[in-house]
Amino acid sequence: VVGPCAACKILRRRCEEKCILAPYFPPNDPFKFTTAHRVFGASNIIKFLKELPEEQRPDAVSSMVYEAKARLRDPVYGSAGAIFQLQRQVNELQEQLAKARAQLVNIQCQNDSLLALVFMDRVDDNVNDDPYFYCFDDHSAGASFFDDGNVG
Amino acid sequence: VVGPCAACKILRRRCEEKCILAPYFPPNDPFKFTTAHRVFGASNIIKFLKELPEEQRPDAVSSMVYEAKARLRDPVYGSAGAIFQLQRQVNELQEQLAKARAQLVNIQCQNDSLLALVFMDRVDDNVNDDPYFYCFDDHSAGASFFDDGNVG
């Protein structure tokens, strides 16, 4: 004889054979149900599950329990707070990545100019060129060392 | 005479002067309340607000409405889905940033070696050095051009 599921036990109701909550709220984990129940309410949980095909219900329960935990941990911002924090982190990382990539373009340009200088020094020791490198932070605005004026 | 707030109107109850929901659910925006109500239930919303100091209640309502919208838009994953997606994005960006920074270290090392070569070529044209640069992707494993063996 299997006892009632955690939900029915806590709600003090008969756990029927086809109880919609039983598969997701086993009797050995009452905390899982009380968490979701305190935030969404049993009737909303049942309503959400009924609206979903059976194969999507486990994920729906997991995400509701996850959100409920976030709301109980942070009653002001809940999981929306985690979203705002992560969005800020994404923005910061995107800025840092754009900066690093711009530095890479610039330093690669310097490298190309230096390689050209080393090459020229070795091919013709008499060349008295000025080691001025046309590499700018705004790469699009600057002329490359390999522009028409310098090479050819 | 001000009519009942959106919450009391939808719940068909008398909107008292000190109604806890009235400041956040004005009568001209019933959708805001129905959204939060469909996901959390009016009694849970009232319970959450009562547990918070008044100055935190506007943010709590905003975050609950935000989460409720996410749940109605995505009944399986809700705002937990947005969190998982953002976490994945953060991981990807962190990987890309680490890669870009490793490239920067490597290319800066190449640059330093090239600069040293240019300098040496100009100081002493007779030096017949081999332009082999000790710069590796795994920077820690490789000897720098400026290691004892090369300089001094």
Side-chain angles (χ1 to χ4, degrees), chain A residues 2-5 8 13-23:
Chain A
V2 180
C5 73
C8 291
R13 62 177 204 175
R14 210 172 89 83
C15 191
E16 291 170 359
E17 206 186 330
K18 289 196 171 181
C19 169
I20 195 168
L21 298 172

Side-chain angles (χ1 to χ4, degrees), chain A residues 24-25 40 45 48-49 52-53 55-67, chain B residues 71 74-78 80:
Chain A
Y24 318 110
F25 299 107
F40 296 102
I45 297 170
F48 285 136
L49 293 182
L52 289 172
E55 65 272 18
Q56 292 191 311
R57 292 177 189 173
D59 281 350
V61 170
S62 296
S63 70
M64 276 191 276
V65 171
Y66 181 95
E67 280 174 48
Chain B
R71 173 65 52 188
D74 178 357
V76 182
Y77 297 103

Side-chain angles (χ1 to χ4, degrees), chain B residues 110-122:
Chain B
Q110 287 175 17
N111 237 355
D112 292 345
S113 304
L114 283 167
L115 262 174
L117 265 187
V118 169
F119 178 75
M120 285 194 296
D121 277 355
R122 275 146 204 252

Side-chain angles (χ1 to χ4, degrees), chain B residues 66-122:
Chain B
Y66 182 95
E67 280 174 47
K69 278 181 186 168
R71 173 65 52 188
L72 296 177
R73 202 169 44 231
D74 178 357
V76 182
Y77 297 103
S79 50
I83 289 176
F84 299 145
Q85 217 172 342
L86 282 163
Q87 276 171 337
R88 211 172 23 237
Q89 204 183 345
V90 164
N91 291 344
E92 281 171 10
L93 283 166
Q94 280 172 335
E95 273 176 35
Q96 287 171 11
L97 187 61
K99 207 174 154 186
R101 284 180 174 163
Q103 283 179 308
L104 262 176
V105 168
N106 193 44
I107 206 168
Q108 183 63 58
C109 173
Q110 287 175 17
N111 237 355
D112 292 345
S113 304
L114 283 167
L115 262 174
L117 265 187
V118 169
F119 178 75
M120 285 194 296
D121 277 355
R122 275 146 204 252

Side-chain angles (χ1 to χ4, degrees), chain A residues 80-97:
Chain A
I83 289 175
F84 298 145
Q85 219 172 339
L86 281 164
Q87 276 173 336
R88 212 173 21 238
Q89 204 183 344
V90 163
N91 291 343
E92 281 171 11
L93 283 166
Q94 280 173 334
E95 274 175 36
Q96 288 171 11
L97 187 61

